[in-house]
Amino acid sequence: MQPHVSRRVLLAAAAGAALLNGRAIAQAKSRIGIIGAGNIGASIGGLWIKAGHPVMFSSRDPDELKDLVAKLGPLAHAGTVAQAIAFGDVLFIAVPYAALPQIGADYKDALKGKIMLDACNAVPTRDGDAITKEADTNGIGVTSQKYLAGTRLVRAFNTMGAQTFESQSNRSDPKLAIPIAGDDPEAVRAAEGLVRDAGFDPVLAGGLASAKKFQQRSPGAYGFQGSSAELKAKLDSAQ
């Protein structure tokens, strides 16, 4: 009987180890590289730091980010765009929309295969009529993917301002719902997890073409603040 007992003990130990390993994987924190350390980048990055994620903010001159990094604590880092891309398991971009073509061209090889959350909005007075019209006509998710070729892109965090994100994070149920859209299932799952870690409920609108339902100047869910059920209904009614 003793060999059978030993076998059961070994199997139980192996199962326990597998369970602990699974929990460790589930609790693992992503390293996040942020391109654009303005209001949105700083606010969302700060929420991720509160959730335990190491975050690198980037700038052409990382010294400009010293105060931000000091305020956010030891999980916050500053670097160049190239360093943030290399640092991140996941990337978050929040820059003027007109900068996307140059960023996509300059860092094409480094960006290839990276999961990227895109919060950029096309504003005609800032970004110009041509790229704004392209985003409005073709859909901003499809347009962003064009300029950030090779990334595994998910639209997220583009519908509200930094102060709203900061004040509404982790509010009492129902949590504020955030629309997302993406074509890559693994990237979508990563984005959903990071939306939750920032203190919100993710609501998947569909593939990148569906990001048109919550982009600026659309009759959809841009600027909408509500629960996940309310946001789903709003997205379902959008064309």
Side-chain angles (χ1 to χ4, degrees), residues 6-84:
S6 298
R7 185 171 181 271
R8 285 199 299 271
V9 170
L10 288 172
L11 288 172
L19 178 61
L20 289 173
N21 186 52
R23 287 174 179 168
I25 291 170
Q27 294 169 1
K29 298 300 182 180
S30 299
R31 292 157 59 98
I32 303 168
I34 295 185
I35 303 172
N39 291 335
I40 293 293
S43 295
I44 301 301
L47 295 176
W48 283 329
I49 285 170
K50 287 180 182 179
H53 294 279
V55 174
M56 179 175 284
F57 301 90
S58 66
S59 170
R60 291 190 185 94
D61 183 4
D63 286 342
E64 296 175 349
L65 304 175
K66 283 183 177 179
D67 290 344
L68 174 64
V69 167
K71 179 180 74 172
L72 292 175
L75 290 177
H77 310 275
T80 64
V81 172
Q83 287 171 331

XYZ file of all heavy atoms in Angstrom, residues 6-84:
554
model
N 2.401 6.924 -1.500
C 3.453 7.844 -1.955
C 3.082 8.468 -3.291
O 3.318 9.652 -3.521
C 4.782 7.086 -2.076
O 5.168 6.582 -0.825
N 2.473 7.649 -4.149
C 2.086 8.171 -5.459
C 1.013 9.244 -5.305
O 1.045 10.286 -5.966
C 1.589 7.029 -6.344
C 1.275 7.440 -7.775
C 1.013 6.200 -8.630
N 0.742 6.588 -10.007
C -0.465 6.868 -10.476
N -1.506 6.787 -9.655
N -0.643 7.216 -11.729
N 0.038 8.982 -4.399
C -1.006 9.980 -4.175
C -0.415 11.263 -3.612
O -0.827 12.367 -3.970
C -2.066 9.422 -3.219
C -2.995 8.394 -3.860
C -4.261 8.225 -3.046
N -3.978 7.737 -1.693
C -3.915 6.445 -1.394
N -4.091 5.518 -2.332
N -3.679 6.080 -0.159
N 0.525 11.125 -2.718
C 1.170 12.304 -2.129
C 1.907 13.108 -3.200
O 1.823 14.334 -3.264
C 2.142 11.882 -1.007
C 2.995 13.066 -0.562
C 1.366 11.320 0.175
N 2.604 12.372 -4.066
C 3.339 13.041 -5.134
C 2.405 13.759 -6.087
O 2.653 14.883 -6.521
C 4.198 12.023 -5.893
C 5.419 11.490 -5.142
C 6.047 10.345 -5.936
C 6.439 12.605 -4.921
N 1.283 13.094 -6.431
C 0.313 13.723 -7.336
C -0.305 14.953 -6.711
O -0.497 15.985 -7.363
C -0.780 12.715 -7.699
C -0.357 11.589 -8.646
C -1.481 10.555 -8.769
C -0.004 12.153 -10.022
N -0.603 14.867 -5.410
C -1.179 16.023 -4.714
C -0.192 17.172 -4.676
O -0.553 18.334 -4.865
C -1.599 15.621 -3.295
N 1.071 16.837 -4.411
C 2.099 17.871 -4.376
C 2.270 18.525 -5.732
O 2.413 19.753 -5.843
C 3.428 17.263 -3.907
N 2.230 17.698 -6.784
C 2.360 18.243 -8.138
C 1.182 19.141 -8.481
O 1.347 20.206 -9.087
C 2.454 17.095 -9.152
N -0.016 18.715 -8.083
C -1.205 19.529 -8.346
C -1.129 20.853 -7.603
O -1.484 21.914 -8.136
C -2.463 18.763 -7.946
N -0.652 20.773 -6.353
C -0.509 22.004 -5.575
C 0.499 22.951 -6.193
O 0.284 24.168 -6.250
N 1.603 22.396 -6.655
C 2.623 23.224 -7.296
C 2.088 23.870 -8.563
O 2.351 25.035 -8.853
C 3.859 22.371 -7.616
N 1.311 23.089 -9.339
C 0.728 23.635 -10.567
C -0.238 24.763 -10.256
O -0.288 25.783 -10.946
C 0.012 22.528 -11.336
N -1.042 24.569 -9.170
C -1.989 25.610 -8.781
C -1.259 26.879 -8.363
O -1.621 27.991 -8.766
C -2.870 25.103 -7.643
C -3.902 26.091 -7.084
C -4.885 26.495 -8.190
C -4.652 25.471 -5.911
N -0.222 26.730 -7.558
C 0.553 27.889 -7.131
C 1.203 28.577 -8.316
O 1.246 29.815 -8.391
C 1.622 27.459 -6.111
C 1.102 27.054 -4.730
C 2.238 26.485 -3.891
C 0.465 28.252 -4.020
N 1.720 27.782 -9.265
C 2.336 28.349 -10.457
C 1.305 29.123 -11.276
O 1.575 30.205 -11.789
C 2.964 27.246 -11.297
C 3.738 27.791 -12.470
O 4.596 28.648 -12.309
N 3.448 27.293 -13.657
N 0.105 28.534 -11.390
C -0.959 29.224 -12.118
C -1.325 30.543 -11.465
O -1.553 31.541 -12.137
N -1.384 30.532 -10.120
C -1.686 31.776 -9.410
C -0.587 32.807 -9.624
O -0.854 33.996 -9.789
C -1.863 31.493 -7.919
C -3.166 30.785 -7.584
C -3.214 30.416 -6.109
N -4.466 29.765 -5.766
C -4.675 29.142 -4.622
N -3.715 29.084 -3.707
N -5.849 28.574 -4.384
N 0.654 32.345 -9.617
C 1.769 33.272 -9.828
C 1.697 33.906 -11.199
O 1.934 35.111 -11.361
C 3.102 32.524 -9.650
N 1.338 33.080 -12.215
C 1.216 33.623 -13.566
C 0.080 34.635 -13.626
O 0.206 35.701 -14.211
C 0.986 32.484 -14.574
C 2.261 31.632 -14.689
C 0.601 33.020 -15.943
C 2.073 30.358 -15.474
N -1.063 34.269 -12.962
C -2.220 35.162 -12.992
C -1.912 36.488 -12.312
O -2.449 37.531 -12.679
C -3.404 34.474 -12.308
N -1.065 36.437 -11.259
C -0.760 37.632 -10.499
C 0.430 38.401 -11.064
O 0.763 39.468 -10.561
C -0.475 37.243 -9.043
C -1.712 36.685 -8.321
C -1.375 36.063 -6.989
O -0.220 36.042 -6.568
N -2.383 35.534 -6.313
N 1.072 37.867 -12.095
C 2.237 38.531 -12.660
C 1.846 39.889 -13.207
O 0.774 40.064 -13.776
C 2.844 37.666 -13.763
N 2.724 40.852 -13.037
C 2.465 42.208 -13.490
C 3.208 42.479 -14.791
O 4.374 42.123 -14.938
C 2.896 43.212 -12.422
C 2.147 43.071 -11.104
C 0.652 43.273 -11.262
C -0.072 43.184 -9.932
N -1.526 43.372 -10.065
N 2.522 43.111 -15.713
C 3.133 43.449 -16.999
C 4.003 44.684 -16.857
O 3.670 45.630 -16.136
C 2.037 43.724 -18.039
O 1.232 42.608 -18.246
N 5.115 44.674 -17.560
C 5.926 45.885 -17.706
C 5.307 46.697 -18.844
O 5.083 46.174 -19.932
C 7.371 45.510 -18.030
C 8.095 44.832 -16.878
C 9.268 44.001 -17.354
N 10.254 44.777 -18.067
C 11.387 45.271 -17.523
N 11.643 45.055 -16.244
N 12.245 45.951 -18.244
N 5.042 47.959 -18.577
C 4.316 48.784 -19.537
C 5.192 49.953 -19.975
O 5.708 50.711 -19.148
C 3.007 49.306 -18.929
C 2.134 48.137 -18.460
C 2.249 50.164 -19.942
C 0.957 48.545 -17.603
N 5.357 50.088 -21.283
C 6.074 51.219 -21.848
C 5.086 52.229 -22.409
O 4.210 51.852 -23.199
N 5.203 53.477 -21.991
C 4.260 54.504 -22.407
C 4.936 55.485 -23.355
O 5.976 56.066 -23.027
C 3.667 55.244 -21.197
C 2.821 54.264 -20.373
C 2.830 56.439 -21.636
C 2.088 54.891 -19.209
N 4.340 55.633 -24.531
C 4.813 56.609 -25.514
C 3.882 57.805 -25.427
O 2.715 57.735 -25.809
C 4.789 56.016 -26.933
C 5.640 54.738 -26.997
C 5.304 57.034 -27.953
C 5.521 53.982 -28.315
N 4.409 58.889 -24.891
C 3.592 60.074 -24.668
C 3.280 60.223 -23.192
O 2.443 59.497 -22.665
N 3.947 61.132 -22.515
C 3.776 61.302 -21.071
C 2.996 62.575 -20.763
O 3.270 63.276 -19.793
C 5.135 61.322 -20.374
N 1.999 62.890 -21.614
C 1.117 64.011 -21.346
C 0.058 63.630 -20.333
O 0.237 62.698 -19.539
N -1.078 64.322 -20.363
C -2.093 64.112 -19.336
C -2.622 62.677 -19.307
O -2.697 62.050 -18.240
C -3.258 65.082 -19.553
C -2.866 66.519 -19.271
O -1.939 66.784 -18.501
N -3.558 67.451 -19.884
N -2.991 62.146 -20.476
C -3.544 60.786 -20.514
C -2.485 59.757 -20.164
O -2.708 58.849 -19.351
C -4.159 60.479 -21.892
C -5.392 61.348 -22.136
C -4.536 58.996 -21.995
C -6.564 61.053 -21.227
N -1.315 59.862 -20.766
C -0.253 58.905 -20.482
C 0.135 58.892 -19.014
O 0.288 57.821 -18.412
N 0.263 60.077 -18.423
C 0.642 60.162 -17.016
C -0.464 59.635 -16.114
O -0.197 58.918 -15.131
C 0.972 61.607 -16.650
N -1.717 59.945 -16.442
C -2.836 59.523 -15.589
C -3.038 58.012 -15.628
O -3.130 57.358 -14.574
C -4.121 60.221 -16.032
O -4.018 61.615 -15.830
N -3.114 57.442 -16.831
C -3.328 55.999 -16.938
C -2.111 55.239 -16.421
O -2.237 54.226 -15.727
C -3.655 55.596 -18.384
C -4.918 56.320 -18.880
C -3.839 54.086 -18.490
C -6.159 56.050 -18.061
N -0.926 55.733 -16.734
C 0.285 55.105 -16.205
C 0.303 55.102 -14.686
O 0.701 54.116 -14.056
N -0.138 56.200 -14.085
C -0.197 56.267 -12.628
C -1.169 55.260 -12.035
O -0.901 54.655 -10.989
N -2.302 55.041 -12.708
C -3.262 54.036 -12.230
C -2.674 52.633 -12.310
O -2.900 51.801 -11.417
C -4.550 54.111 -13.046
C -5.354 55.414 -12.909
C -6.559 55.394 -13.847
C -5.805 55.642 -11.476
N -1.921 52.366 -13.364
C -1.287 51.044 -13.474
C -0.212 50.847 -12.414
O -0.051 49.748 -11.878
C -0.706 50.867 -14.877
C -1.750 50.555 -15.907
C -2.917 49.863 -15.713
C -1.738 50.927 -17.281
N -3.622 49.771 -16.887
C -2.932 50.420 -17.873
C -0.846 51.636 -18.084
C -3.234 50.590 -19.214
C -1.146 51.817 -19.430
C -2.328 51.296 -19.983
N 0.508 51.904 -12.096
C 1.507 51.803 -11.027
C 0.833 51.482 -9.697
O 1.318 50.647 -8.915
C 2.337 53.096 -10.952
C 3.329 53.132 -12.125
C 3.087 53.201 -9.625
C 4.045 54.451 -12.298
N -0.306 52.114 -9.429
C -1.049 51.814 -8.200
C -1.455 50.347 -8.145
O -1.572 49.761 -7.060
C -2.289 52.696 -8.112
C -2.006 54.150 -7.785
C -3.297 54.944 -7.715
C -3.027 56.415 -7.443
N -4.281 57.211 -7.404
N -1.673 49.751 -9.320
C -2.047 48.324 -9.387
C -0.833 47.401 -9.352
O -0.992 46.180 -9.407
C -2.852 48.062 -10.657
N 0.370 47.976 -9.286
C 1.575 47.164 -9.146
C 2.362 46.916 -10.405
O 3.322 46.126 -10.394
N 2.014 47.576 -11.504
C 2.745 47.379 -12.752
C 3.948 48.323 -12.837
O 3.801 49.523 -12.584
C 1.839 47.658 -13.960
C 0.714 46.685 -14.110
N 0.877 45.443 -14.685
C -0.593 46.777 -13.766
C -0.284 44.806 -14.689
N -1.199 45.592 -14.136
N 5.117 47.814 -13.213
C 6.236 48.708 -13.524
C 5.945 49.450 -14.831
O 5.509 48.842 -15.811
C 7.434 47.760 -13.692
C 6.981 46.446 -13.153
C 5.500 46.397 -13.321
N 6.164 50.749 -14.834
C 5.833 51.573 -15.994
C 7.017 52.459 -16.347
O 7.615 53.093 -15.475
C 4.604 52.465 -15.706
C 4.346 53.422 -16.858
C 3.360 51.606 -15.453
N 7.346 52.505 -17.644
C 8.358 53.454 -18.127
C 7.678 54.496 -19.004
O 7.079 54.177 -20.022
C 9.473 52.763 -18.924
C 10.514 53.764 -19.454
S 11.937 53.000 -20.293
C 12.854 52.399 -18.854
N 7.772 55.749 -18.578
C 7.287 56.876 -19.359
C 8.413 57.344 -20.270
O 9.586 57.288 -19.897
C 6.856 58.011 -18.436
C 5.770 57.630 -17.473
C 6.083 57.118 -16.219
C 4.444 57.777 -17.807
C 5.091 56.758 -15.319
C 3.432 57.427 -16.917
C 3.755 56.910 -15.674
N 8.067 57.827 -21.449
C 9.128 58.192 -22.393
C 8.980 59.612 -22.895
O 7.895 60.191 -22.944
C 9.134 57.223 -23.581
O 7.955 57.339 -24.344
N 10.132 60.151 -23.262
C 10.211 61.495 -23.813
C 11.509 61.601 -24.598
O 12.450 60.824 -24.383
C 10.195 62.531 -22.678
O 10.489 63.823 -23.165
N 11.558 62.575 -25.515
C 12.828 62.832 -26.196
C 13.899 63.214 -25.176
O 15.073 62.925 -25.363
C 12.661 63.962 -27.225
C 11.807 63.605 -28.428
C 11.913 64.690 -29.481
N 11.031 64.456 -30.619
C 9.812 64.963 -30.745
N 9.332 65.748 -29.788
N 9.079 64.713 -31.806
N 13.475 63.878 -24.112
C 14.379 64.255 -23.024
C 13.840 63.668 -21.724
O 13.004 64.282 -21.058
C 14.479 65.777 -22.917
C 15.464 66.216 -21.831
O 16.109 65.334 -21.219
O 15.587 67.438 -21.607
N 14.279 62.459 -21.351
C 13.753 61.809 -20.152
C 13.929 62.615 -18.872
O 13.179 62.413 -17.911
C 14.556 60.493 -20.091
C 14.954 60.227 -21.503
C 15.219 61.591 -22.093
N 14.893 63.545 -18.862
C 15.074 64.370 -17.668
C 13.828 65.200 -17.363
O 13.588 65.574 -16.202
C 16.285 65.303 -17.828
C 17.608 64.564 -17.712
O 17.598 63.430 -17.171
O 18.635 65.105 -18.150
N 13.031 65.480 -18.394
C 11.800 66.245 -18.192
C 10.780 65.477 -17.361
O 9.819 66.068 -16.862
C 11.182 66.606 -19.545
C 12.039 67.531 -20.400
C 11.428 67.763 -21.770
O 10.455 67.039 -22.113
O 11.909 68.650 -22.491
N 10.978 64.178 -17.223
C 10.013 63.329 -16.525
C 10.411 63.037 -15.081
O 9.749 62.253 -14.403
C 9.853 62.005 -17.285
C 9.445 62.131 -18.753
C 9.451 60.757 -19.409
C 8.079 62.782 -18.885
N 11.471 63.668 -14.603
C 11.972 63.372 -13.252
C 10.918 63.606 -12.182
O 10.743 62.794 -11.266
C 13.217 64.214 -12.962
C 14.485 63.699 -13.634
C 15.687 64.561 -13.239
C 16.968 64.007 -13.856
N 18.154 64.840 -13.498
N 10.202 64.721 -12.272
C 9.204 65.037 -11.245
C 8.062 64.026 -11.262
O 7.581 63.589 -10.207
C 8.655 66.453 -11.454
C 9.686 67.529 -11.144
O 10.704 67.205 -10.498
O 9.473 68.692 -11.550
N 7.614 63.646 -12.462
C 6.539 62.671 -12.589
C 6.947 61.340 -11.984
O 6.194 60.736 -11.202
C 6.176 62.483 -14.065
C 5.168 61.381 -14.392
C 3.810 61.679 -13.773
C 5.058 61.187 -15.907
N 8.136 60.879 -12.321
C 8.623 59.590 -11.835
C 8.806 59.618 -10.317
O 8.443 58.666 -9.614
C 9.939 59.228 -12.555
C 10.640 58.069 -11.862
C 9.665 58.876 -14.010
N 9.336 60.721 -9.806
C 9.530 60.835 -8.359
C 8.194 60.798 -7.616
O 8.071 60.177 -6.555
C 10.281 62.125 -8.048
N 7.171 61.425 -8.194
C 5.852 61.463 -7.555
C 5.199 60.090 -7.540
O 4.508 59.734 -6.574
C 4.959 62.455 -8.306
C 3.550 62.576 -7.750
C 2.729 63.576 -8.535
C 2.319 63.011 -9.887
N 1.361 63.900 -10.606
N 5.431 59.296 -8.580
C 4.742 58.011 -8.714
C 5.447 56.857 -8.015
O 4.869 55.788 -7.861
C 4.549 57.685 -10.202
C 3.571 58.600 -10.938
C 3.553 58.274 -12.431
C 2.172 58.490 -10.353
N 6.702 57.052 -7.608
C 7.349 56.035 -6.800
C 8.250 55.073 -7.551
O 8.502 55.237 -8.749
N 8.717 54.021 -6.868
C 9.777 53.159 -7.401
C 9.391 52.330 -8.616
O 10.272 51.833 -9.316
C 10.145 52.258 -6.218
C 8.953 52.287 -5.318
C 8.371 53.656 -5.464
N 8.111 52.128 -8.872
C 7.708 51.377 -10.061
C 7.705 52.246 -11.317
O 7.534 51.728 -12.424
C 6.315 50.769 -9.871
C 6.211 49.617 -8.872
C 4.762 49.171 -8.727
C 7.082 48.438 -9.292
N 7.901 53.538 -11.157
C 7.906 54.469 -12.289
C 9.327 54.693 -12.785
O 10.256 54.857 -11.988
C 7.284 55.798 -11.889
N 9.493 54.706 -14.093
C 10.792 54.906 -14.725
C 10.648 55.896 -15.873
O 9.557 56.102 -16.396
C 11.344 53.580 -15.259
C 11.320 52.467 -14.261
N 12.312 52.266 -13.337
C 10.386 51.500 -14.033
C 12.012 51.217 -12.587
N 10.845 50.732 -12.990
N 11.754 56.494 -16.255
C 11.768 57.420 -17.385
C 12.799 56.953 -18.390
O 13.859 56.424 -18.032
C 12.093 58.839 -16.918
N 12.498 57.137 -19.677
C 13.432 56.749 -20.719
C 13.070 57.380 -22.038
O 12.110 58.154 -22.137
N 13.835 57.051 -23.046
C 13.513 57.483 -24.402
C 12.396 56.605 -24.951
O 12.031 55.583 -24.351
C 14.737 57.367 -25.308
O 15.107 55.972 -25.400
C 15.925 58.167 -24.757
N 11.868 56.980 -26.103
C 10.837 56.156 -26.729
C 11.385 54.760 -27.019
O 10.724 53.752 -26.756
C 10.314 56.819 -28.017
C 9.373 55.878 -28.771
C 9.592 58.128 -27.690
N 12.594 54.693 -27.544
C 13.195 53.389 -27.843
C 13.329 52.546 -26.579
O 13.080 51.323 -26.598
C 14.555 53.582 -28.503
N 13.715 53.166 -25.471
C 13.863 52.424 -24.220
C 12.505 51.952 -23.691
O 12.393 50.836 -23.180
C 14.556 53.308 -23.184
C 16.027 53.513 -23.464
C 16.664 54.573 -22.565
O 15.995 55.518 -22.122
N 17.954 54.424 -22.285
N 11.474 52.773 -23.829
C 10.143 52.385 -23.366
C 9.596 51.221 -24.181
O 8.953 50.313 -23.640
C 9.195 53.575 -23.434
